[in-house]
C-alpha cells in the first residue's frame, strides 16, 4: 500500500492537528438553527459556539419547538412540551440580557434529533419518527469492552473527521456513554480555539528564525505546493510561515473538507460536546503539547518526505478519505488493521505515531481499570490505535485483561 495513505490515516489518529494546527483559510460563518427544515429567526441574540457546544437563545428556541418556558434556575430549565412538564439539567448562560442554553439538551428533551450540517453550519432539529432515515444508524464503528474489579472501560475507535452520515450512532455507543462516569479522549478538542493552544501551534508550527518553508524544502517540492495552492485560489506563498508538518496537515484537511468530512462532526468531538452537556469529567490521555511536539520533532527528512507524498498524490486523496469513512461505518477490522500496518514502513513515523503513544494510553487505561471504585470510563481515541501487535487491545491483553469487541 502506498506510503501517502498514512497521511489521511493520521487524521483518524491525531485529533489535535486537524482541529487546531491547520491555519484558518477563511473567516467562520455564523451558526443557524432549523426545526424540521424551517429556519429559526432570532431577533434577540444569535446562536454561538462556546468550547465545542452550540448555545442558543432559550426562549426563542423553545417557541420554535412548540414548547413553553415555565421557569429557570442557574442550572435547570422547566418547560412544557406537548402538555407535559419537563425539567432539563443544564447550566444557563446570560449574554447581553439573553438566556442561552445548549441546543442538544433542549432539542433532545423536546423530542427532536439533533444533527449538524457542516456545509451550511446549521444545527438541524428533526422530529423523531418524522423521517425514515432517523431510524437508521450511521455505521457500526469500532468499540470494545474491558472489565476489571467492578470497573468497566469502553474503548471507542474514532474518526476525527466525519459528516452527518456517521450519525445517529448505533444504540450500543449511546447506551454505554449514558452510563459513563468519565469521558477519556486524546485531547479535549473543545479547547482548540483557546488562546493558549493557538499560541502553542504558532510557536511550534511556524518558523521563528526569519526563515520560511522555501528555505527548508527542495525547490521542486515548494514549486509543486505553490501550484496546488493556486488551484485552490490561494497565493502560492500562503503557507510560507509554516513548517512541513503543518503544511501537510493543511493539504489533507483541504481534501477531507472538499468531500464533506470535518473535525466539527468527528466522533470524539461529538462525545466531548455530550460530556460537557452532561457535566461529566473529560480526561485527556495526551496533551496538545505532546501531540504537536511529536510532529515537530520529526526529522527534517521525514517531514519533507511525507509532505511530498501528499503533494504528489493530492488529486486522489479524496478517494482515500471516502474509503476510510466506509471502513469506519462498516466496522471493518481487517481494513483497519491493513491501514494501521502502513505505518510500519517507516520506523521513525511508526514509533512516534503509534508504538510510543499506544503504550502511554494503554498504561492510563490500565490505571482506570484498577481503581476498584465501580466506575465506567468511555474512552474515544483514533481507531488506528487499537489493532495490531502494538495496538491498545493487544497491550491490554498482555496485561491480563479480556477485551471484547462490541
Amino acid at each position: 500500500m502506498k506510503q501517502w495513505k498514512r497521511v489521511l490515516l493520521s487524521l483518524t489518529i491525531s485529533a489535535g492537528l486537524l482541529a487546531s494546527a491547520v491555519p484558518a483559510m477563511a473567516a467562520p460563518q455564523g451558526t443557524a438553527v432549523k426545526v424540521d427544515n424551517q429556519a429559526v429567526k432570532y431577533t434577540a441574540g444569535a446562536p454561538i459556539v462556546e468550547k465545542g457546544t452550540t448555545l442558543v437563545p432559550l426562549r426563542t428556541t423553545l417557541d420554535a419547538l412548540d414548547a413553553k418556558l415555565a421557569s429557570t434556575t442557574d442550572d435547570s430549565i422547566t418547560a412544557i412540551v406537548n402538555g407535559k412538564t419537563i425539567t432539563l439539567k443544564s447550566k444557563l448562560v446570560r449574554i447581553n440580557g439573553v438566556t442561552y442554553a445548549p441546543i442538544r439538551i433542549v432539542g433532545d428533551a423536546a423530542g427532536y434529533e439533533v444533527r449538524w450540517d457542516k456545509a451550511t453550519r446549521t444545527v438541524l432539529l428533526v422530529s423523531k419518527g418524522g423521517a425514515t432515515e432517523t431510524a437508521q444508524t450511521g455505521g457500526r464503528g469500532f468499540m470494545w469492552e474491558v472489565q476489571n474489579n467492578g470497573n468497566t472501560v469502553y474503548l471507542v475507535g474514532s474518526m476525527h473527521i466525519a459528516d452527518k452520515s456517521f450519525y445517529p450512532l448505533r444504540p450500543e455507543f449511546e447506551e454505554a456513554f449514558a452510563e459513563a462516569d468519565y469521558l477519556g479522549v486524546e485531547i479535549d478538542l473543545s479547547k482548540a480555539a483557546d488562546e493558549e493552544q493557538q499560541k502553542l501551534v504558532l510557536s511550534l508550527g511556524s518558523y521563528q528564525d526569519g526563515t520560511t518553508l522555501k528555505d527548508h524544502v527542495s525547490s521542486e517540492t515548494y514549486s509543486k505546493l505553490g501550484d496546488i495552492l493556486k488551484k485552490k485560489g490561494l497565493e502560492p506563498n500562503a503557507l510560507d510561515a509554516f513548517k512541513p508538518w503543518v503544511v501537510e496537515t493543511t493539504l489533507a484537511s483541504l481534501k477531507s473538507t472538499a468531500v464533506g468530512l470535518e473535525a466539527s462532526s468527528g466522533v470524539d468531538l461529538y462525545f466531548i460536546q455530550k460530556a460537557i452537556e452532561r457535566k461529566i469529567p473529560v480526561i485527556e490521555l495526551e496533551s496538545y503539547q505532546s501531540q504537536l511536539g511529536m510532529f515537530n520533532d520529526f526529522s527534517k527528512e521525514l517531514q519533507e518526505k511525507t509532505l511530498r507524498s501528499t503533494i504528489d498524490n493530492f488529486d486522489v486523496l479524496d478517494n482515500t478519505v471516502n474509503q476510510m469513512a466506509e471502513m469506519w461505518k462498516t466496522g471493518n477490522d481487517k481494513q483497519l488493521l491493513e491501514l494501521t500496518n502502513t505505518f510500519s514502513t517507516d520506523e521513525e513515523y511508526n514509533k512516534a505515531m503509534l508504538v510510543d503513544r499506544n503504550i502511554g494510553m494503554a498504561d492510563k487505561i490500565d490505571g482506570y481499570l484498577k481503581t476498584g471504585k465501580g466506575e465506567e470510563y468511555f474512552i474515544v481515541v483514533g481507531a488506528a490505535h487499537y489493532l495490531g501487535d502494538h495496538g491498545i487491545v493487544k497491550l491490554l491483553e498482555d496485561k491480563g485483561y479480556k477485551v471484547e469487541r462490541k
Side-chain angles (χ1 to χ4, degrees), residues 347-379:
E347 183 177 355
E348 179 187 358
Y349 199 84
N350 185 55
K351 185 176 187 299
M353 285 292 289
L354 287 180
V355 178
D356 292 345
R357 294 173 67 199
N358 289 354
I359 291 172
M361 287 192 278
D363 286 345
K364 287 193 174 182
I365 294 167
D366 180 38
Y368 305 151
L369 286 163
K370 288 180 176 176
T371 66
K373 297 180 180 179
E375 296 173 319
E376 181 172 308
Y377 292 78
F378 194 86
I379 307 297

Side-chain angles (χ1 to χ4, degrees), residues 9-244:
L9 183 58
S10 72
L11 297 183
T12 73
I13 293 181
S14 183
L17 278 182
L18 187 63
S20 65
V22 176
M25 292 298 178
Q29 305 170 7
T31 300
V33 175
K34 287 187 177 181
V35 177
D36 286 336
N37 212 33
Q38 295 296 311
V40 180
K41 296 181 179 179
Y42 292 98
T43 56
I48 61 173
V49 178
E50 184 178 88
K51 293 185 177 180
T53 297
T54 300
L55 302 175
V56 291
L58 177 60
R59 190 178 295 275
T60 303
T61 304
L62 287 174
D63 287 345
L65 299 175
D66 291 327
K68 299 300 178 184
L69 181 64
S71 63
T72 65
T73 65
D74 288 343
D75 59 2
S76 69
I77 307 161
T78 301
I80 301 173
V81 181
N82 296 326
K84 296 181 180 179
T85 300
I86 60 172
T87 299
L88 318 179
K89 293 295 183 180
S90 174
K91 187 173 181 61
L92 305 181
V93 178
R94 294 280 294 180
I95 303 175
N96 296 327
V98 178
T99 300
Y100 282 74
I103 184 65
R104 187 175 296 280
I105 285 182
V106 175
D108 283 347
Y112 289 79
E113 181 184 338
V114 184
R115 304 177 186 170
W116 171 250
D117 185 337
K118 71 283 167 192
T120 60
R121 295 188 59 80
T122 302
V123 179
L124 304 174
L125 301 180
V126 181
S127 299
K128 292 181 179 178
T132 56
E133 63 178 296
T134 61
Q136 300 173 356
T137 58
R140 181 164 188 252
F142 300 92
M143 184 166 70
W144 296 262
E145 180 182 0
V146 193
Q147 295 185 351
N148 181 67
N149 196 27
N151 282 17
T152 301
V153 171
Y154 287 96
L155 305 170
V156 174
S158 176
M159 276 281 290
H160 298 308
I161 52 175
D163 63 14
K164 65 182 180 182
S165 68
F166 282 63
Y167 304 96
L169 301 175
R170 56 185 174 101
E172 290 86 347
F173 284 88
E174 301 289 2
E175 291 165 5
F177 179 76
E179 300 298 323
D181 300 294
Y182 301 91
L183 170 67
V185 291
E186 293 173 35
I187 55 177
D188 185 350
L189 292 179
S190 68
K191 301 176 182 177
D194 290 358
E195 184 178 358
E196 180 182 350
Q197 312 304 345
Q198 293 301 307
K199 286 182 177 179
L200 180 61
V201 171
L202 288 175
S203 65
L204 290 177
S206 61
Y207 293 107
Q208 308 293 322
D209 58 1
T211 62
T212 67
L213 179 68
K214 190 174 183 178
D215 301 312
H216 295 270
V217 297
S218 70
S219 58
E220 185 179 6
T221 297
Y222 185 78
S223 177
K224 288 190 173 185
L225 170 64
D227 291 341
I228 290 175
L229 294 177
K230 283 190 289 186
K231 289 179 181 178
K232 290 295 181 180
L234 301 169
E235 292 296 325
N237 62 351
L239 299 177
D240 272 16
F242 298 97
K243 296 178 181 179

Side-chain angles (χ1 to χ4, degrees), residues 141-142 157-159 166 169 267 324-331:
F142 300 92
S158 176
M159 276 281 290
F166 282 63
L169 301 175
V267 176
M324 290 180 182
E326 279 305 304
M327 173 202 69
W328 192 93
K329 292 176 190 176
T330 58

